[in-house]
Amino acid sequence: VEYLLAGIGLFSVLVFNNEVSVSLFEPPQHVRSEIEKMAGILNLPSSKLAVEVRGETLADLLRNEEQLSRELDGEIEKGGLQSYEMLAQILPSSTSYFAKSDVFRANAREALVQLGMSPQFSKQQLEAYEAALQVPSLRQEDLTRFPEIAGQVKRLRIDAEGWSERVELTFPSDVQSLNFPITSPHAKMIDLLMPIRASMTALQVKVSSWLLVGLICGTGVLALGLQSISQAGRILRTSCAVLGATATLLILLHGSLSLLHIVAMALVVGIGVDYAIILSGAKNEKDRANTSATSVFVCAVSTLIAFIVLAFSGVQILHQIGLSVVIGLPLMLLLTLADSGETEE
């Protein structure tokens, strides 16, 4: 049974634990309600998604944003979007009205002749015109001088591919996601939580690795302390079974494991190992074994009551730790008592 539970847990983690939870960073429900109310008053972006628009130059970026704005304006009319913010709402796309130098020279000569002026004057104007073409174009730091667009400028990025901006979206209260495709060729949808999920995944892998190392080292210490490799192996087997069963149940309830789930499961194993050591030390004396089993059971119930209270907390940190222990500790106790009974027989 223990091998089966451990196998089911490993299968659940590998197959069903796809999306890393970031609920650790979410406040309680009453705080979220106040934040949403304030965001509605201030018209703040409410989405976890944004639209990234790119362009080779600032002018290209503004033209691409104007194309995207037509799509977003249409969605606003349908009620699927409340508002959005982009630089093109303040700066119009700057179409180049500058002709080539030879075209300018010809037009200038013709205009001067018609006005009865010397064509030689066009040479001076041509030199001034060509000098104007060499003036550096508008840069990102130039835009920061204007307080009216300071917020939008902070979302601009310049890299080897050109300019880009993240267009922030505000949805109505009954809409939480973008329900229409982005068809603009230079725009794409991005998940703002993706960097957080990547960091959480890396952190979970690191914590899990250290806990695995700790479990192996702890088993070695148990083997030395109990002077029995078989007893240490049974405790390790029971611990793996509890970890597997707890992970499976948590994935069924929450959809994925969080960092706090993993830490709480390590706490369950630590408490369960103490129970196993106490029971294994009293296995040769029947009366003492019964007394130890009763003491361990009472101790586990008193510990469980405290974590049951945490499991009903609205604070995610307390809730996740409490729920993990409430699920794992009874399993650890039952399997430890069952294993102890089999050993006595």
Side-chain angles (χ1 to χ4, degrees):
V1 173
E2 291 178 337
Y3 288 123
L4 178 62
L5 291 176
I8 292 175
L10 181 61
F11 177 80
S12 300
V13 171
L14 295 177
V15 176
F16 299 108
N17 189 39
N18 294 324
E19 183 174 320
V20 178
S21 174
V22 295
S23 59
L24 170 64
F25 300 98
E26 294 183 2
Q29 180 60 43
H30 69 281
V31 178
R32 290 201 298 268
S33 300
E34 293 298 325
I35 293 176
E36 291 174 0
K37 185 185 301 183
M38 184 62 66
I41 296 175
L42 299 178
N43 196 27
L44 297 176
S46 58
S47 174
K48 298 176 181 178
L49 301 174
V51 181
E52 184 180 63
V53 190
R54 301 197 67 90
E56 293 185 4
T57 63
L58 178 59
D60 293 334
L61 174 65
L62 295 174
R63 282 192 291 269
N64 295 336
E65 287 187 349
E66 288 181 352
Q67 182 177 356
L68 173 64
S69 66
R70 289 191 285 269
E71 295 186 48
L72 299 181
D73 290 339
E75 191 62 22
I76 291 177
E77 294 179 358
K78 298 177 183 178
L81 185 66
Q82 180 174 332
S83 63
Y84 60 91
E85 291 184 1
M86 63 172 59
L87 191 60
Q89 293 173 312
I90 302 176
L91 295 179
S93 61
S94 54
T95 305
S96 176
Y97 296 102
F98 298 109
K100 294 182 179 180
S101 299
D102 54 348
V103 176
F104 178 84
R105 182 187 298 109
N107 293 337
R109 282 179 175 274
E110 182 179 355
L112 292 173
V113 170
Q114 292 177 354
L115 295 174
M117 301 175 64
S118 172
Q120 183 65 24
F121 181 69
S122 65
K123 181 179 180 181
Q124 301 173 2
Q125 296 300 311
L126 178 61
E127 292 176 354
Y129 181 84
E130 291 177 341
L133 292 179
Q134 302 300 320
V135 175
S137 59
L138 193 64
R139 299 167 298 175
Q140 184 178 10
E141 51 266 29
D142 298 328
L143 299 176
T144 58
R145 302 174 184 176
F146 303 94
E148 296 84 356
I149 59 175
Q152 286 81 356
V153 172
K154 292 180 180 179
R155 297 195 296 267
L156 290 176
R157 296 292 183 271
I158 303 177
D159 52 29
E161 298 180 0
W163 293 63
S164 65
E165 181 186 6
R166 289 185 177 182
V167 178
E168 298 181 351
L169 309 174
T170 302
F171 289 105
S173 58
D174 57 340
V175 179
Q176 297 298 327
S177 61
L178 202 61
N179 297 321
F180 67 96
I182 299 297
T183 59
S184 298
H186 301 283
K188 65 177 181 179
M189 190 71 62
I190 57 174
D191 186 356
L192 298 179
L193 295 181
M194 187 61 67
I196 300 178
R197 291 195 180 97
S199 300
M200 291 293 291
T201 301
L203 186 58
Q204 285 188 8
V205 172
K206 183 180 294 186
V207 171
S208 300
S209 301
W210 280 108
L211 292 178
L212 178 60
V213 172
L215 184 61
I216 296 174
C217 294
T219 303
V221 173
L222 284 176
L224 294 175
L226 298 174
Q227 297 181 350
S228 174
I229 298 178
S230 60
Q231 288 186 21
R234 282 195 295 270
I235 295 176
L236 175 63
R237 182 187 64 195
T238 301
S239 300
C240 292
V242 172
L243 291 175
T246 305
T248 300
L249 293 175
L250 288 174
I251 290 174
L252 289 175
L253 293 174
H254 287 276
S256 62
L257 293 178
S258 71
L259 179 62
L260 293 177
H261 289 149
I262 298 174
V263 173
M265 286 191 290
L267 177 63
V268 170
V269 171
I271 296 174
V273 168
D274 292 340
Y275 295 161
I277 293 175
I278 295 173
L279 294 175
S280 64
K283 66 179 181 179
N284 295 326
E285 302 177 17
K286 185 175 181 180
D287 293 338
R288 184 182 173 189
N290 292 334
T291 302
S292 298
T294 303
S295 300
V296 167
F297 180 78
V298 173
C299 181
V301 170
S302 62
T303 303
L304 194 61
I305 291 175
F307 283 98
I308 288 176
V309 175
L310 295 182
F312 287 97
S313 173
V315 181
Q316 282 294 317
I317 296 177
L318 302 179
H319 169 72
Q320 292 182 20
I321 293 177
L323 182 63
S324 302
V325 176
V326 167
I327 293 174
L329 189 58
L331 292 173
M332 191 72 183
L333 179 62
L334 291 176
L335 292 178
T336 300
L337 291 174
D339 185 69
S340 177
E342 291 178 0
T343 304
E344 292 178 7
E345 293 177 359

